[in-house]
Amino acid sequence: MPHLVAICYRMRQNLLPPKFKTLAEAKSLDIRKQLGLRSTQACPARLVAELYNVSVTASSSLLEVLQADLRELFPDQALYSERLTWVSNPECKFSALAAIVGEHRMILYNDSNSLARQESDIMHELAHIICEHPGDCLQLNADIALRQHNDSHEEEAKWLGATLQVPDQGLYQLVRAGHTTERIAEIYGCSIEMAIYRRRITAVDRRLSYIKPKPQF
Ligand SMILES: [Zn+2]
């Protein structure tokens, strides 16, 4: 059903509110400015987390804490170890989650994923926090509510997270300077898939093709 797929794709694209992409780009540049970074430089997710007072915790360290704390409570160590290891198992699909406990905000991420993947996972959760998506965080200060899937919030976090990593302005300059997609991924500390995605979705190459070459004398 290729037509249906195309329609669904367009519908998903329309889930972003008007001007969201422009605001996301402005946010990406503003955060870089606050961190003293240029648009052609990587903006590490952990620095953005610091800026927003969000603590970032690796699932493996949480596992160690839990194992230490629970050892005395649960005599059947094999059972609790088996149940806890899922968070740091590469086979499980866990990427990251954001949690809010009172004023404290934290992101738990799966550090068994690649560094590039960790960057985009953390940035995605930060995007939820920056957008103040109420249903997208684990709210531990009130009734515990696991993430409720909200398509438009997911699209916003996906777009903003990716824009924070690879801003249009910097990408344009790097492509214009002749850098390859692989080099651009290296510069931003993102995956090659992310660099390809941003290069395609921002239509950088098409926009550059409109620039008339300067006459040669
Ligand atoms: Zn999300």
Side-chain angles (χ1 to χ4, degrees), residues 176-193:
R176 191 176 186 184
H179 292 291
T180 62
T181 300
E182 288 74 14
R183 177 68 190 126
I184 289 168
E186 232 175 72
I187 290 169
Y188 285 121
C190 68
S191 64
I192 291 176
E193 290 77 16

Side-chain angles (χ1 to χ4, degrees), residues 124-125 128 136 147 153-154 157:
H124 178 93
E125 295 305 323
H128 276 304
D136 291 282
R147 183 192 301 276
H153 286 176
E154 281 313 312

Side-chain angles (χ1 to χ4, degrees), residues 56-67 88 108-109 111:
V56 176
T57 307
S59 55
S60 63
S61 68
L62 183 74
L63 188 69
E64 283 161 24
V65 171
L66 286 174
Q67 282 179 331
S88 54
L108 178 70
Y109 69 98
D111 55 332

